[in-house]
Short mmCIF file of all heavy atoms in Angstrom, two decimals:
data_model
loop_
_atom_site.label_atom_id
_atom_site.label_comp_id
_atom_site.label_asym_id
_atom_site.label_seq_id
_atom_site.Cartn_x
_atom_site.Cartn_y
_atom_site.Cartn_z
N PHE H 6 124.00 148.43 134.95
CA PHE H 6 124.48 147.09 135.26
C PHE H 6 125.99 147.15 135.49
O PHE H 6 126.70 147.89 134.87
CB PHE H 6 124.17 146.13 134.12
CG PHE H 6 122.72 145.84 134.06
CD1 PHE H 6 121.86 146.69 133.41
CD2 PHE H 6 122.23 144.74 134.69
CE1 PHE H 6 120.49 146.45 133.39
CE2 PHE H 6 120.88 144.48 134.65
CZ PHE H 6 120.01 145.33 134.01
N ALA H 31 113.09 126.00 130.91
CA ALA H 31 112.00 125.16 131.38
C ALA H 31 110.86 125.13 130.37
O ALA H 31 110.15 124.16 130.21
CB ALA H 31 111.48 125.65 132.72
N PHE H 46 120.68 141.58 123.04
CA PHE H 46 120.70 142.88 122.41
C PHE H 46 122.13 143.42 122.45
O PHE H 46 122.90 143.12 123.33
CB PHE H 46 119.77 143.85 123.17
CG PHE H 46 118.34 143.46 123.06
CD1 PHE H 46 117.78 142.55 124.00
CD2 PHE H 46 117.55 143.90 122.04
CE1 PHE H 46 116.49 142.18 123.91
CE2 PHE H 46 116.22 143.57 121.93
CZ PHE H 46 115.68 142.69 122.90
N LEU H 74 127.65 132.36 135.88
CA LEU H 74 126.53 133.31 135.87
C LEU H 74 125.56 133.04 134.76
O LEU H 74 124.41 133.41 134.79
CB LEU H 74 127.05 134.74 135.77
CG LEU H 74 127.47 135.39 137.05
CD1 LEU H 74 128.07 136.73 136.76
CD2 LEU H 74 126.21 135.60 137.93
N THR H 75 126.12 132.49 133.73
CA THR H 75 125.29 132.31 132.56
C THR H 75 124.33 131.14 132.70
O THR H 75 123.54 130.88 131.82
CB THR H 75 126.17 132.09 131.34
OG1 THR H 75 126.94 130.89 131.53
CG2 THR H 75 127.06 133.26 131.08
N ASN H 77 121.87 128.99 135.59
CA ASN H 77 121.38 128.89 136.95
C ASN H 77 121.40 127.45 137.40
O ASN H 77 120.73 126.58 136.90
CB ASN H 77 119.94 129.40 136.98
CG ASN H 77 119.37 129.35 138.38
OD1 ASN H 77 120.14 129.03 139.33
ND2 ASN H 77 118.11 129.67 138.51
N LYS H 81 115.08 124.43 137.89
CA LYS H 81 114.24 123.27 138.15
C LYS H 81 112.88 123.52 137.60
O LYS H 81 112.35 124.59 137.70
CB LYS H 81 114.20 122.97 139.65
CG LYS H 81 115.51 122.49 140.22
CD LYS H 81 115.39 122.21 141.69
CE LYS H 81 116.71 121.74 142.21
NZ LYS H 81 116.71 121.57 143.65
N LEU H 83 108.84 122.90 137.39
CA LEU H 83 107.79 122.61 138.34
C LEU H 83 107.13 121.28 138.02
O LEU H 83 106.76 121.02 136.90
CB LEU H 83 106.74 123.71 138.25
CG LEU H 83 105.56 123.55 139.17
CD1 LEU H 83 105.97 123.75 140.61
CD2 LEU H 83 104.50 124.51 138.81
N GLU H 87 100.54 116.60 143.10
CA GLU H 87 99.24 116.27 143.70
C GLU H 87 99.03 117.18 144.87
O GLU H 87 99.89 117.48 145.62
CB GLU H 87 99.29 114.81 144.20
CG GLU H 87 99.37 113.84 143.06
CD GLU H 87 98.11 113.66 142.27
OE1 GLU H 87 97.10 114.18 142.71
OE2 GLU H 87 98.13 113.08 141.17
N THR H 88 97.80 117.61 144.95
CA THR H 88 97.41 118.43 146.13
C THR H 88 96.49 117.58 147.01
O THR H 88 96.00 116.55 146.61
CB THR H 88 96.72 119.70 145.69
OG1 THR H 88 95.61 119.34 144.90
CG2 THR H 88 97.66 120.57 144.89
N HIS H 91 90.03 117.80 148.83
CA HIS H 91 89.05 118.28 149.77
C HIS H 91 87.73 118.35 149.05
O HIS H 91 87.64 118.17 147.83
CB HIS H 91 89.43 119.65 150.31
CG HIS H 91 89.42 120.75 149.31
ND1 HIS H 91 88.37 121.64 149.15
CD2 HIS H 91 90.32 121.06 148.35
CE1 HIS H 91 88.65 122.48 148.17
NE2 HIS H 91 89.78 122.13 147.67
N MET H 96 78.84 124.49 142.94
CA MET H 96 78.52 124.26 141.55
C MET H 96 79.06 125.42 140.69
O MET H 96 79.17 126.53 141.15
CB MET H 96 77.02 124.16 141.37
CG MET H 96 76.42 122.95 142.14
SD MET H 96 77.16 121.39 141.58
CE MET H 96 76.50 121.29 139.95
N VAL H 98 79.30 128.47 138.15
CA VAL H 98 78.41 129.58 137.87
C VAL H 98 77.82 129.44 136.50
O VAL H 98 78.51 129.09 135.53
CB VAL H 98 79.19 130.91 137.95
CG1 VAL H 98 78.34 132.06 137.47
CG2 VAL H 98 79.70 131.11 139.38
N HIS H 103 80.67 137.20 130.46
CA HIS H 103 81.08 138.49 130.03
C HIS H 103 82.42 138.34 129.33
O HIS H 103 83.28 137.62 129.77
CB HIS H 103 81.23 139.44 131.23
CG HIS H 103 79.99 139.54 132.04
ND1 HIS H 103 78.93 140.35 131.67
CD2 HIS H 103 79.61 138.90 133.14
CE1 HIS H 103 77.98 140.19 132.54
NE2 HIS H 103 78.38 139.36 133.47
N HIS H 113 91.90 138.90 122.85
CA HIS H 113 90.65 138.72 123.59
C HIS H 113 89.49 138.52 122.69
O HIS H 113 88.38 138.84 123.03
CB HIS H 113 90.40 139.97 124.48
CG HIS H 113 91.21 139.87 125.71
ND1 HIS H 113 90.94 140.75 126.76
CD2 HIS H 113 92.21 139.08 126.10
CE1 HIS H 113 91.80 140.46 127.74
NE2 HIS H 113 92.59 139.47 127.34
N PRO H 123 90.96 123.62 130.00
CA PRO H 123 92.14 123.81 129.14
C PRO H 123 92.47 122.49 128.41
O PRO H 123 92.29 121.41 128.95
CB PRO H 123 93.23 124.15 130.13
CG PRO H 123 92.52 124.65 131.31
CD PRO H 123 91.26 123.90 131.36
N GLN H 137 111.60 123.47 144.46
CA GLN H 137 112.58 124.29 145.11
C GLN H 137 111.90 125.45 145.79
O GLN H 137 111.36 126.33 145.15
CB GLN H 137 113.56 124.83 144.05
CG GLN H 137 114.57 125.78 144.61
CD GLN H 137 115.26 126.51 143.53
OE1 GLN H 137 114.96 126.32 142.36
NE2 GLN H 137 116.18 127.40 143.88
N MET H 206 104.11 134.12 211.13
CA MET H 206 104.30 133.26 209.98
C MET H 206 104.30 134.06 208.70
O MET H 206 105.05 133.79 207.78
CB MET H 206 103.22 132.18 209.95
CG MET H 206 103.38 131.16 208.86
SD MET H 206 104.95 130.28 209.00
CE MET H 206 104.58 129.26 210.46
N ASP H 378 108.51 143.03 161.29
CA ASP H 378 107.21 143.19 160.60
C ASP H 378 107.13 144.65 160.14
O ASP H 378 107.08 145.56 160.97
CB ASP H 378 106.11 142.85 161.50
CG ASP H 378 106.24 141.41 162.02
OD1 ASP H 378 106.31 140.51 161.17
OD2 ASP H 378 106.29 141.21 163.24
N ASP H 380 105.98 147.57 156.76
CA ASP H 380 105.18 147.88 155.55
C ASP H 380 106.17 148.18 154.42
O ASP H 380 106.81 149.24 154.37
CB ASP H 380 104.31 149.10 155.83
CG ASP H 380 103.51 149.52 154.59
OD1 ASP H 380 103.38 148.69 153.66
OD2 ASP H 380 103.02 150.66 154.57
N ASP H 388 117.28 142.54 139.78
CA ASP H 388 117.76 141.31 139.05
C ASP H 388 119.24 141.02 139.34
O ASP H 388 119.73 139.98 138.93
CB ASP H 388 117.61 141.58 137.53
CG ASP H 388 116.35 140.93 137.01
OD1 ASP H 388 115.44 140.67 137.83
OD2 ASP H 388 116.27 140.61 135.81
N ARG H 406 117.66 137.09 142.01
CA ARG H 406 116.59 138.09 141.70
C ARG H 406 115.71 138.29 142.95
O ARG H 406 115.46 137.35 143.72
CB ARG H 406 115.72 137.57 140.56
CG ARG H 406 116.48 137.34 139.29
CD ARG H 406 115.58 136.91 138.18
NE ARG H 406 114.77 138.00 137.67
CZ ARG H 406 113.45 137.97 137.54
NH1 ARG H 406 112.77 136.91 137.87
NH2 ARG H 406 112.80 139.00 137.06
N ARG Y 10 99.11 132.48 205.06
CA ARG Y 10 100.04 131.67 204.31
C ARG Y 10 99.54 131.32 202.93
O ARG Y 10 100.22 131.41 201.90
CB ARG Y 10 100.30 130.35 205.02
CG ARG Y 10 101.21 130.48 206.21
CD ARG Y 10 101.52 129.15 206.81
NE ARG Y 10 101.61 129.21 208.24
CZ ARG Y 10 101.96 128.14 208.97
NH1 ARG Y 10 102.18 127.00 208.42
NH2 ARG Y 10 102.05 128.27 210.28
N ARG Y 80 100.85 120.94 149.67
CA ARG Y 80 101.86 120.45 150.62
C ARG Y 80 102.93 121.49 150.87
O ARG Y 80 103.17 122.38 150.02
CB ARG Y 80 102.50 119.17 150.05
CG ARG Y 80 101.52 118.01 149.85
CD ARG Y 80 102.25 116.74 149.55
NE ARG Y 80 101.36 115.61 149.39
CZ ARG Y 80 100.94 115.19 148.24
NH1 ARG Y 80 101.34 115.80 147.11
NH2 ARG Y 80 100.13 114.18 148.12
N PRO Y 92 85.27 132.38 139.30
CA PRO Y 92 83.85 132.61 139.59
C PRO Y 92 83.01 131.34 139.37
O PRO Y 92 81.96 131.21 140.02
CB PRO Y 92 83.46 133.74 138.64
CG PRO Y 92 84.72 134.50 138.43
CD PRO Y 92 85.80 133.42 138.38
N ARG Y 94 83.85 128.52 140.15
CA ARG Y 94 84.29 127.66 141.26
C ARG Y 94 84.84 126.32 140.78
O ARG Y 94 84.56 125.28 141.38
CB ARG Y 94 83.11 127.46 142.25
CG ARG Y 94 82.89 128.71 143.12
CD ARG Y 94 81.60 128.61 143.83
NE ARG Y 94 80.45 128.70 142.95
CZ ARG Y 94 79.19 128.62 143.32
NH1 ARG Y 94 78.92 128.44 144.58
NH2 ARG Y 94 78.22 128.71 142.46
N TYR Y 103 109.92 130.57 143.33
CA TYR Y 103 111.20 129.92 143.46
C TYR Y 103 112.24 130.97 143.68
O TYR Y 103 111.95 132.15 143.81
CB TYR Y 103 111.54 129.10 142.20
CG TYR Y 103 110.46 128.04 141.92
CD1 TYR Y 103 109.39 128.34 141.12
CD2 TYR Y 103 110.57 126.80 142.50
CE1 TYR Y 103 108.40 127.40 140.85
CE2 TYR Y 103 109.59 125.85 142.24
CZ TYR Y 103 108.51 126.16 141.43
OH TYR Y 103 107.56 125.21 141.19
N THR Y 104 113.49 130.57 143.74
CA THR Y 104 114.53 131.52 144.11
C THR Y 104 114.60 132.72 143.13
O THR Y 104 114.65 133.86 143.56
CB THR Y 104 115.91 130.83 144.11
OG1 THR Y 104 115.88 129.79 145.09
CG2 THR Y 104 116.99 131.83 144.44
N ASN Y 105 114.50 132.47 141.84
CA ASN Y 105 114.66 133.56 140.92
C ASN Y 105 113.46 133.81 140.03
O ASN Y 105 113.50 134.68 139.18
CB ASN Y 105 115.84 133.25 139.98
CG ASN Y 105 117.19 133.44 140.70
OD1 ASN Y 105 117.34 134.36 141.50
ND2 ASN Y 105 118.13 132.56 140.41
N TYR Y 106 112.40 133.07 140.22
CA TYR Y 106 111.24 133.23 139.32
C TYR Y 106 109.98 132.70 139.98
O TYR Y 106 110.04 132.21 141.15
CB TYR Y 106 111.50 132.48 138.02
CG TYR Y 106 111.59 130.97 138.18
CD1 TYR Y 106 110.50 130.15 137.93
CD2 TYR Y 106 112.78 130.35 138.60
CE1 TYR Y 106 110.59 128.78 138.08
CE2 TYR Y 106 112.86 129.01 138.75
CZ TYR Y 106 111.76 128.20 138.48
OH TYR Y 106 111.83 126.85 138.66
N TYR Y 111 97.47 126.78 138.21
CA TYR Y 111 96.12 126.61 138.76
C TYR Y 111 95.83 125.14 138.90
O TYR Y 111 96.55 124.27 138.32
CB TYR Y 111 95.09 127.31 137.86
CG TYR Y 111 94.84 126.64 136.49
CD1 TYR Y 111 93.71 125.89 136.28
CD2 TYR Y 111 95.75 126.80 135.46
CE1 TYR Y 111 93.44 125.31 135.06
CE2 TYR Y 111 95.50 126.21 134.20
CZ TYR Y 111 94.37 125.49 134.03
OH TYR Y 111 94.13 124.91 132.82
N ILE Y 114 89.49 123.04 141.89
CA ILE Y 114 89.18 123.48 143.25
C ILE Y 114 88.99 122.30 144.20
O ILE Y 114 89.10 122.42 145.42
CB ILE Y 114 87.90 124.35 143.23
CG1 ILE Y 114 87.85 125.20 144.49
CG2 ILE Y 114 86.66 123.55 143.07
CD1 ILE Y 114 86.88 126.32 144.42
N GLY Y 117 93.99 118.24 143.24
CA GLY Y 117 94.48 117.42 142.09
C GLY Y 117 95.75 117.97 141.56
O GLY Y 117 96.51 118.57 142.26
N ILE Y 121 100.60 124.41 135.00
CA ILE Y 121 101.34 125.66 134.88
C ILE Y 121 100.79 126.44 133.65
O ILE Y 121 100.84 125.93 132.53
CB ILE Y 121 102.84 125.41 134.70
CG1 ILE Y 121 103.35 124.51 135.80
CG2 ILE Y 121 103.60 126.72 134.65
CD1 ILE Y 121 103.15 125.08 137.16
N GLN Y 126 110.79 130.44 134.49
CA GLN Y 126 112.13 129.90 134.48
C GLN Y 126 112.98 130.59 133.38
O GLN Y 126 112.46 130.99 132.35
CB GLN Y 126 112.15 128.41 134.25
CG GLN Y 126 111.56 127.64 135.39
CD GLN Y 126 111.79 126.16 135.26
OE1 GLN Y 126 112.93 125.71 135.33
NE2 GLN Y 126 110.74 125.43 135.09
N TYR Y 129 120.57 133.40 133.75
CA TYR Y 129 121.44 134.60 133.59
C TYR Y 129 122.31 134.42 132.38
O TYR Y 129 122.76 133.31 132.09
CB TYR Y 129 122.32 134.78 134.83
CG TYR Y 129 121.63 135.49 135.97
CD1 TYR Y 129 121.24 134.81 137.10
CD2 TYR Y 129 121.40 136.89 135.91
CE1 TYR Y 129 120.63 135.48 138.17
CE2 TYR Y 129 120.77 137.57 136.93
CZ TYR Y 129 120.41 136.86 138.09
OH TYR Y 129 119.78 137.53 139.12
N SER Y 132 125.11 139.72 127.64
CA SER Y 132 124.95 140.43 126.38
C SER Y 132 126.05 141.44 126.32
O SER Y 132 126.01 142.48 126.98
CB SER Y 132 123.57 141.13 126.33
OG SER Y 132 123.47 141.92 125.18
N TYR Y 140 114.83 135.16 133.57
CA TYR Y 140 113.85 134.74 134.54
C TYR Y 140 112.74 135.78 134.63
O TYR Y 140 112.99 136.97 134.43
CB TYR Y 140 114.51 134.66 135.97
CG TYR Y 140 115.55 133.67 136.15
CD1 TYR Y 140 116.88 134.03 136.26
CD2 TYR Y 140 115.22 132.29 136.32
CE1 TYR Y 140 117.86 133.09 136.52
CE2 TYR Y 140 116.21 131.35 136.55
CZ TYR Y 140 117.55 131.77 136.68
OH TYR Y 140 118.51 130.82 136.89
N ASP Y 151 83.90 135.53 133.61
CA ASP Y 151 83.46 134.32 132.91
C ASP Y 151 84.44 133.17 133.11
O ASP Y 151 84.32 132.13 132.45
CB ASP Y 151 83.34 134.60 131.39
CG ASP Y 151 84.61 135.12 130.78
OD1 ASP Y 151 85.65 135.11 131.51
OD2 ASP Y 151 84.61 135.56 129.63
N ASP Y 160 106.93 140.52 134.78
CA ASP Y 160 107.97 141.36 134.18
C ASP Y 160 108.48 140.68 132.94
O ASP Y 160 109.61 140.93 132.51
CB ASP Y 160 109.10 141.59 135.18
CG ASP Y 160 109.71 140.28 135.67
OD1 ASP Y 160 109.13 139.22 135.42
OD2 ASP Y 160 110.79 140.33 136.32
N LYS Y 163 110.39 142.42 130.14
CA LYS Y 163 111.47 143.32 130.55
C LYS Y 163 112.57 143.41 129.50
O LYS Y 163 113.13 144.46 129.34
CB LYS Y 163 112.08 142.82 131.87
CG LYS Y 163 112.71 141.45 131.80
CD LYS Y 163 113.29 141.03 133.17
CE LYS Y 163 113.94 139.63 133.03
NZ LYS Y 163 114.52 139.26 134.30
N ASN Y 172 120.39 148.57 127.98
CA ASN Y 172 120.95 147.55 128.85
C ASN Y 172 120.40 147.57 130.27
O ASN Y 172 121.01 147.09 131.20
CB ASN Y 172 122.47 147.63 128.87
CG ASN Y 172 123.04 147.21 127.55
OD1 ASN Y 172 122.88 146.05 127.17
ND2 ASN Y 172 123.63 148.14 126.85
N SER Y 182 96.88 139.95 130.75
CA SER Y 182 95.78 138.97 130.85
C SER Y 182 96.22 137.74 130.04
O SER Y 182 96.96 137.84 129.05
CB SER Y 182 94.49 139.54 130.35
OG SER Y 182 94.52 139.70 128.96
N ARG Y 289 97.59 154.44 153.65
CA ARG Y 289 98.68 154.58 154.59
C ARG Y 289 98.53 155.87 155.37
O ARG Y 289 98.44 156.96 154.76
CB ARG Y 289 100.03 154.59 153.85
CG ARG Y 289 100.44 153.22 153.39
CD ARG Y 289 101.72 153.27 152.56
NE ARG Y 289 102.29 151.96 152.34
CZ ARG Y 289 103.06 151.63 151.31
NH1 ARG Y 289 103.39 152.57 150.42
NH2 ARG Y 289 103.55 150.41 151.18
N TYR Y 352 97.44 143.35 162.51
CA TYR Y 352 98.66 142.94 163.17
C TYR Y 352 98.44 142.95 164.72
O TYR Y 352 98.18 144.01 165.29
CB TYR Y 352 99.81 143.88 162.82
CG TYR Y 352 101.15 143.53 163.35
CD1 TYR Y 352 101.81 142.43 162.85
CD2 TYR Y 352 101.78 144.33 164.28
CE1 TYR Y 352 103.07 142.10 163.33
CE2 TYR Y 352 103.07 144.03 164.72
CZ TYR Y 352 103.71 142.91 164.24
OH TYR Y 352 104.96 142.59 164.69
#
Side-chain angles (χ1 to χ4, degrees):
Chain H
F6 290 82
F46 294 88
L74 274 174
T75 60
N77 181 7
K81 290 180 180 176
L83 179 70
E87 292 287 346
T88 56
H91 67 100
M96 297 301 293
V98 172
H103 304 280
H113 278 192
Q137 176 193 1
M206 184 60 71
D378 302 305
D380 177 18
D388 261 23
R406 301 183 74 232
Chain Y
R10 282 186 217 185
R80 296 190 180 98
R94 285 168 292 179
Y103 301 91
T104 299
N105 287 322
Y106 65 98
Y111 72 104
I114 200 166
I121 306 302
Q126 292 190 66
Y129 277 107
S132 173
Y140 295 106
D151 59 8
D160 57 349
K163 62 180 182 178
N172 291 295
S182 71
R289 284 175 168 155
Y352 186 68

